[in-house]
Structures are given as C-alpha cells and as structure tokens.
C-alpha cells in the first residue's frame, strides 16, 4: 500500500473509532465517506500496474498514465488511405519521427507509408533522412513503434526500389536482426519486409549487400540472409546468373550447406538446385565426361562442381543435387 493510501486508511480507522459519538454523528459519517472514497481511489491508482497485453504481442500497458497498444492499429498496406494534405504531411514527417511521443511516431510512420504509396515523388528528396529516422524507430524498445517501422520499411521497398540502394545497409541490418528475434509478431513483420526487399530491389544490386551477412557471427542472421540470398538469385534469370558468376554463386551456396541452422542449409539446397538447372540449360553443359577431356571449357555438372569447389564441398553439393535428381526420376 502506498504512503498516501496508508494515510487515508488510518483516517478511516480513526473515524470508525469516533462513530459512536452522538454529538457529531453526521460529521463523522461524511468524514468516513470521504476517507473511503479517497482510499478506494488511491488503491485503484496504486494497483494499476503495468500488465501485458497479449493481443498486441505482449506489449506493456500502463493503467496510470500511459496509453497501451490497444490504441495502435496495424494497417495493412492495401488498406491504407491517402493523406488529406500531402504537403502538410510531408512537412511534419521529420519532426514527427524525431518526437519522444511514441504515439506521434507511430502516426507519422503511417503517414510515411501513405506518402510512399500515394505521393512517392514528393518524399524522394528526403528519403535518406527518413530512412535514418526509420532505423531509429526499428531500434525502439517499444514493440508498437518497432512493428510500425517494419511495416513502413516494406512499403518503402515497394515504392522506391533501387533508389534506396545507397541507404540500404543500416535498414537491412535492423530487419535481419528483427527477423532473428524471439518476439513472434515483430519477427513475422520483419520477415515480410525482407520478402518485400528481395522482391523490389534488383538482385544484381542486392546480392553484394547480402553476401557479407552470410558469414555473420550470429547464426540466426546468417539464416535470414541465406533465405534472402536464395530468394534473390532466381530473379536474376538464367543470363543474369551467368553474368553474375555461376561459379561464385555455387561457392557461396556450398559454404552454407554446413551451416548451423536448418534454414541456412535448406536455402543453400534450394539455391544449388536452381543453379544446376541454369547450368544444365547452358551451352557449356555436356553430359559426356569424355567430351570434357578434349574440350576443357565444357563440362558436366559433376566436373564443373569438382573444378570450382574443394573436394569436400563438391561432394556435398553433388550429394544434394543427385538426390534431388533421383527423387525427380522416381516420382515421374
């Protein structure tokens, strides 16, 4: 019980002791009523502790002076409406994102989404500043701000595509981190944002940005980066894969086959099967190994892998692709 509540509690007990006095019965009754009301109010305030709100990913709500996330609505992109005044919304963006009022930050993030989807040209000149503050929102310990920021990232990828490439690194780092954490509703939103990134940013520009994270010390970050890498490579197309360097891509995928987490290994297997298909459709592919003895520039898939990889990695890659081929033959 708080100090103030204890004070009113003692007042109430003192009043009860005096209630038998016939001279001032009415005054005593009023005193008891007032003390009781104050005690109840004080106890109600002191018991309004921070409690989890399971409907919003265990976001904390405070009954005393803090508005809970029940007032935050996570609006899907297709349900966003246009801003009433684009110029006014644009002028308020930077100040709103820098605010210490988290509700205002969330409102501003939603306006950034609207501007990106409906008026992307007007915000283009300030995209770098917006992304800097967006990264700050992703680091916010309050989940409502973080998730709204993640949803904003997805819409920005959709709107600005390759125009983000020079500002992409800090944003991508945070999304990989958020997709790797244990808070489910934040993690799922970050996964969607990473899918948007691989869908709307050109793979030729994105793959060099992703590659360093395939060797990150955090296995979860490696796994998420591997999944992004695997999704992005097929978007290059057959000619794009050969232009990027199929041998380099095979080496990258082979290194992920022995990774700690199954997500990394599965992404590597999927990528290797894609690369095998592309290679076997190329004019360099020759089924007969005897031909490759006379024409060193041509090679079967097996010989190609053995020439580009260490013996151990080549064995692992061929095991994956041969098993997939055998499964395909047996099912047909």
């Amino acid at each position: 019980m708080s100090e103030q509540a204890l004070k009113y509690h003692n007042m109430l007990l003192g009043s009860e002791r005096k209630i038998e006095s016939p001279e001032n019965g009415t005054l005593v009754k009023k005193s008891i009523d007032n003390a009781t009301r104050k005690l109840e109010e004080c106890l109600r305030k002191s018991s309004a502790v921070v409690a989890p709100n399971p409907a919003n990913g265990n976001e904390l709500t405070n009954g005393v002076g803090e508005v809970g996330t029940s007032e935050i609505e996570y609006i899907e992109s297709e349900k966003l409406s246009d801003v009433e005044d684009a110029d006014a919304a644009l002028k308020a963006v930077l100040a709103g994102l820098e605010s210490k009022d988290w509700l205002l930050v969330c409102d501003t993030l939603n306006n950034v989404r609207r501007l990106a989807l409906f008026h992307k040209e007007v915000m283009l000149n300030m995209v770098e500043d917006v992304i800097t503050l967006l990264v700050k929102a992703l680091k916010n310990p309050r989940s409502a701000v973080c998730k709204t920021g993640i949803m904003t990232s997805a819409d920005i990828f959709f709107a600005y595509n390759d125009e983000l490439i020079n500002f992409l690194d800090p944003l991508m780092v945070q999304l990989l981190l958020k997709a790797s954490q244990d808070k489910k509703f934040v993690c799922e939103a970050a996964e969607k944002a990473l899918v948007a990134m691989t869908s709307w940013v050109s793979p030729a520009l994105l793959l060099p940005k992703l590659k360093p994270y395939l060797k990150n010390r955090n296995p979860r970050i490696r796994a998420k980066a591997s999944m992004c890498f695997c999704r992005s490579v097929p978007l290059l197309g057959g000619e794009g894969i050969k232009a990027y360097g199929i041998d380099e891509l095979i080496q990258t995928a082979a290194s992920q086959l022995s990774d700690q987490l199954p997500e990394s290994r599965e992404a590597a297997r999927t990528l290797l099967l894609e690369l095998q298909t592309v290679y076997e459709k190329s004019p360099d592919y020759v089924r007969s190994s005897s031909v490759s003895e006379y024409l060193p520039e041509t090679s079967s898939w097996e010989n190609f892998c053995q020439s580009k990889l260490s013996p151990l990695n080549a064995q692992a890659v061929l095991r994956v692709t041969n098993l997939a081929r055998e499964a395909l033959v047996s099912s047909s």
Side-chain angles (χ1 to χ4, degrees):
M1 187 180 295
S2 68
E3 183 178 349
Q4 190 176 5
L6 183 61
K7 173 184 175 183
Y8 288 122
H9 179 65
N10 292 335
M11 287 175 57
L12 181 58
L13 292 179
S15 299
E16 286 177 342
R17 286 194 294 268
K18 295 178 183 178
I19 194 169
E20 295 179 358
S21 174
E23 292 82 12
N24 58 351
T26 303
L27 292 176
V28 169
K29 181 65 167 61
K30 290 182 179 180
S31 175
I32 291 173
D33 290 342
N34 290 337
T36 300
R37 282 196 303 273
K38 290 180 179 179
L39 177 60
E40 289 174 349
E41 180 181 356
C42 194
L43 287 173
R44 185 169 60 253
K45 288 182 178 180
S46 65
S47 64
V49 295
V50 175
N53 184 349
N56 291 283
N58 293 328
E59 181 67 38
L60 296 180
T61 56
N62 190 320
V64 180
E66 181 180 315
V67 182
T69 55
S70 58
E71 295 188 11
I72 294 295
E73 182 181 4
Y74 301 116
I75 310 170
E76 297 299 326
S77 301
E78 59 272 15
K79 295 182 180 179
L80 281 170
S81 57
D82 195 358
V83 293
E84 294 182 3
D85 187 337
D87 291 335
L90 185 68
K91 291 177 181 177
V93 161
L94 298 182
L97 293 179
E98 290 178 328
S99 174
K100 294 182 179 179
D101 181 346
W102 69 273
L103 286 172
L104 178 58
V105 173
C106 288
D107 286 341
T108 306
L109 286 169
N110 281 326
N111 279 340
V112 168
R113 299 173 67 197
R114 294 183 175 98
L115 289 168
L117 295 177
F118 295 101
H119 307 277
K120 70 174 189 176
E121 295 82 6
V122 303
M123 200 169 63
L124 182 58
N125 291 334
M126 55 190 293
V127 163
E128 183 176 6
D129 293 331
V130 168
I131 288 181
T132 299
L133 295 173
L134 176 56
V135 169
K136 181 181 176 182
L138 295 181
K139 295 178 181 178
N140 194 299
R142 187 177 290 276
S143 297
V145 177
C146 181
K147 180 173 178 177
T148 307
I150 292 170
M151 297 175 77
T152 304
S153 303
D155 291 328
I156 283 181
F157 288 134
F158 172 78
Y160 293 104
N161 315 132
D162 295 349
E163 291 172 305
L164 299 175
I165 198 65
N166 292 330
F167 326 121
L168 183 60
D169 289 282
L171 183 57
M172 183 170 64
V173 170
Q174 288 304 312
L175 291 175
L176 290 170
L177 285 169
K178 299 305 175 185
S180 306
Q181 68 166 260
D182 295 325
K183 189 169 288 187
K184 185 177 179 181
F185 86 123
V186 172
C187 180
E188 289 175 347
E191 291 272 13
K192 290 181 180 179
L194 289 172
V195 169
M197 179 183 73
T198 55
S199 299
W200 300 111
V201 178
S202 297
L205 298 175
L206 183 59
L207 291 174
K209 298 281 187 182
L210 282 168
K211 194 172 180 180
Y213 297 102
L214 300 177
K215 298 180 180 179
N216 192 277
R217 288 181 297 177
N218 186 328
R220 291 188 178 186
I221 290 179
R222 290 200 306 271
K224 299 306 178 184
S226 295
M227 294 166 70
C228 290
F229 201 88
C230 174
R231 283 195 301 265
S232 193
V233 168
L235 299 178
L236 286 167
E239 293 302 318
I241 287 175
K242 286 184 279 187
Y244 186 90
I246 192 169
D247 51 344
E248 180 181 341
L249 291 170
I250 289 174
Q251 291 164 5
T252 300
S255 68
Q256 298 301 109
L257 277 179
S258 57
D259 197 76
Q260 179 179 345
L261 292 183
E263 292 92 342
S264 293
R265 301 195 296 270
E266 182 58 33
R269 285 192 287 268
T270 302
L271 178 54
L272 285 168
L273 294 176
E274 175 71 23
L275 296 174
Q276 180 189 23
T277 300
V278 170
Y279 183 77
E280 292 184 348
K281 289 181 179 179
S282 72
D284 292 335
Y285 175 69
V286 178
R287 289 186 181 277
S288 173
S289 59
S290 62
V291 175
S292 65
E293 295 175 4
Y294 299 97
L295 300 174
E297 70 273 10
T298 65
S299 177
S300 67
W301 170 251
E302 289 78 6
N303 287 344
F304 180 76
C305 290
Q306 290 167 354
S307 67
K308 300 297 180 182
L309 301 169
S310 68
L312 192 61
N313 281 347
Q315 184 180 14
V317 168
L318 292 174
R319 185 185 303 115
V320 168
T321 54
N322 289 339
L323 285 174
R325 181 181 293 165
E326 291 171 4
L328 182 62
V329 170
S330 62
S331 64
S332 59

